[in-house]
């Protein structure tokens, strides 16, 4: 099994290295602004002040936002000369991809121990997912948020399966703080923690006193770390706790946009273009979300999702609804609790994207869903496996082959555009 993991990590790196070399900085979304923060962290081993961020203008637009998503990039780039930081900082995202694949491998062992195909399919999807390959091939904080979020989800699954321990609670608190200071999309996992604590308490007959202590431990660790950042922002940016107002104002002034913006969540929910853009950019839209793959390929991805949904509906109708009248043992409820938790991760993440769109803090970018990258792929694969033993195996194999082919095809398409010239 360890050899399998090593081969998966090696494959993950080999898939991304050509992208890292090929991708020009001007085609990597906002990489120049990410690099401003990374360079500051690398050179000063500290955070920029509000005055330094405002003085740098649009280049430092992310300077008021949480910085820990850039920690791997800053640390990796310190191993190389100053002149090459724009290239070697990208290896911080590669490191995040390797951590995500490792977390996916661990989660697959927990959830799919009875199926070798499924246990291998999840990490392989992480290796070849085209948009994930793209995002983990340039310097950004989405890659780090995905890695930390994936490790947290592994801890959530372990807590639901085996019970919440104080050691696990401490790890969740620390990683939740790190995630919350990587990217604000990570805050969408806060409600999931409450579900996990409550469900684990019931499933394992844990005393409510112990559950309350575990929750308090998570809250104290997370708030003590995150609170320091929020208080610093409050003082550095004239009461802007989150730094988002400062970011938006700098961006709006630089690009001559309106200084205040708000739309109704209903407008977002009913906007077909919003949902289409979110789905397309989750699977593969490159450059500044202006490099599309062949349009029919997106609809094939939709077909796999619809087939997976049919598999889930079939399982609910044939297995769970007929058994709803009997008394379930706690052990039997562990599986439904885990699947519910993964679904809640996706719902909360989408809700966060909708809120961000109402305030123009971020559009329906598929990479904002990478905090829930593993829940999305796990639910997709599990649904396909439920359409029938043979049909499910064929469907999973087809999805893997299709995803890998789209990944390779996307690289070929972009290599003709960029020609491996002047990537930085």
């Amino acid at each position: 099994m360890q050899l399998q993991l090593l081969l998966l990590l090696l494959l993950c790196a080999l898939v991304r290295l050509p992208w890292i070399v090929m991708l020009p900085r001007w085609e990597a979304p906002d990489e120049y602004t990410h690099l401003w923060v990374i360079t500051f962290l690398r050179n000063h081993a500290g955070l920029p002040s509000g005055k330094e961020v405002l003085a740098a203008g649009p280049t430092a637009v992310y300077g008021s936002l949480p910085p820990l998503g850039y920690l791997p990039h800053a640390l990796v780039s310190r191993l190389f000369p100053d002149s090459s930081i724009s290239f070697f900082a990208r290896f911080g995202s590669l490191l995040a991809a390797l951590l995500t694949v490792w977390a996916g491998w661990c989660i697959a062992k927990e959830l799919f121990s009875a199926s070798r195909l499924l246990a291998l399919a999840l990490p392989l999807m992480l290796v070849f997912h085209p948009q994930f390959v793209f995002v983990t091939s340039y310097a950004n904080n989405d890659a780090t948020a995905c890695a930390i979020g994936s490790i947290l989800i592994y801890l959530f699954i372990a807590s639901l399966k085996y019970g919440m321990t104080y050691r696990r609670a401490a790890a969740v608190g620390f990683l939740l703080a790190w995630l919350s200071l990587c990217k604000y999309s990570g805050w969408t996992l806060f409600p999931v923690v409450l579900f996990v604590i409550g469900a684990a308490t019931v499933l394992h007959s844990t005393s409510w006193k112990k559950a309350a202590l575990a929750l308090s431990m998570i809250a104290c660790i997370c708030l003590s770390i995150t609170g320091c950042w929020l208080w610093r922002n409050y003082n550095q940016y004239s009461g802007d706790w989150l730094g988002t107002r400062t970011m938006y104002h700098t961006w709006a002034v630089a690009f001559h946009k309106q200084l205040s913006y708000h739309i109704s969540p209903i407008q977002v929910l009913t906007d077909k273009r919003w949902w289409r853009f979110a789905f397309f950019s989750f699977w593969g839209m490159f450059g500044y979300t202006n490099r599309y793959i062949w349009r029919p390929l997106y609809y094939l991805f939709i077909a796999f999702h619809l087939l997976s949904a049919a598999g889930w509906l079939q399982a609910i109708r044939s297995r769970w609804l007929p058994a709803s009248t009997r008394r379930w043992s706690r052990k039997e409820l562990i599986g439904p609790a885990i699947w519910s938790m993964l679904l809640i991760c996706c719902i909360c993440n989408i809700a966060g994207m909708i809120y961000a769109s109402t305030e123009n803090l971020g559009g329906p970018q598929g990479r904002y869903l990478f905090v829930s990258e593993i829940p999305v792929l796990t639910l997709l694969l599990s649904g396909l496996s439920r359409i029938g033993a043979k049909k499910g195996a064929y469907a999973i194999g087809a999805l893997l082959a299709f995803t890998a082919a789209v990944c390779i095809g996307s690289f070929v398409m972009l290599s003709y555009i960029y020609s491996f010239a002047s990537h930085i």
Side-chain angles (χ1 to χ4, degrees), residues 207-220:
S207 70
W208 287 104
K209 180 180 178 181
K210 183 178 179 180
L213 286 172
L215 183 60
S216 299
M217 183 181 293
I218 293 171
C220 288

Side-chain angles (χ1 to χ4, degrees), residues 68 173-174 177-178 180-181 219-230:
L68 292 189
F174 173 75
W178 189 351
S180 66
L181 295 182
C220 288
I221 294 172
C222 185
L223 289 175
S224 62
I225 297 172
T226 307
C228 292
W229 164 258
L230 296 175

Side-chain angles (χ1 to χ4, degrees), residues 132-150:
F132 186 52
V133 172
F134 175 71
V135 170
T136 51
S137 298
Y138 69 93
N140 61 81
N141 54 358
D142 294 284
T144 313
C146 181
I148 303 303
S150 299

Side-chain angles (χ1 to χ4, degrees), residues 312-395:
W312 276 108
L313 289 174
Q314 180 177 311
I316 292 170
R317 186 174 63 250
S318 62
R319 288 185 57 192
W320 292 335
L321 286 181
S324 60
T325 55
R326 69 176 176 84
R327 186 177 180 85
W328 290 56
S329 68
R330 285 186 170 89
K331 186 176 181 180
E332 289 175 310
L333 290 171
I334 289 175
I338 291 174
W339 297 119
S340 298
M341 180 272 294
L342 295 172
L343 182 60
I344 291 170
C345 287
C346 299
I347 292 171
C348 290
N349 204 167
I350 293 171
M353 285 177 59
I354 292 171
Y355 170 76
S357 292
T358 66
E359 301 293 332
N360 205 25
L361 298 175
Q365 301 281 351
R367 66 181 184 271
Y368 299 159
L369 280 171
F370 282 178
V371 173
S372 300
E373 167 81 347
I374 284 181
V376 170
L377 296 182
T378 304
L379 289 168
L380 173 61
L381 290 167
S382 185
L384 291 176
S385 72
R386 296 171 191 273
I387 62 176
K390 285 189 177 181
K391 291 180 182 178
Y394 288 136

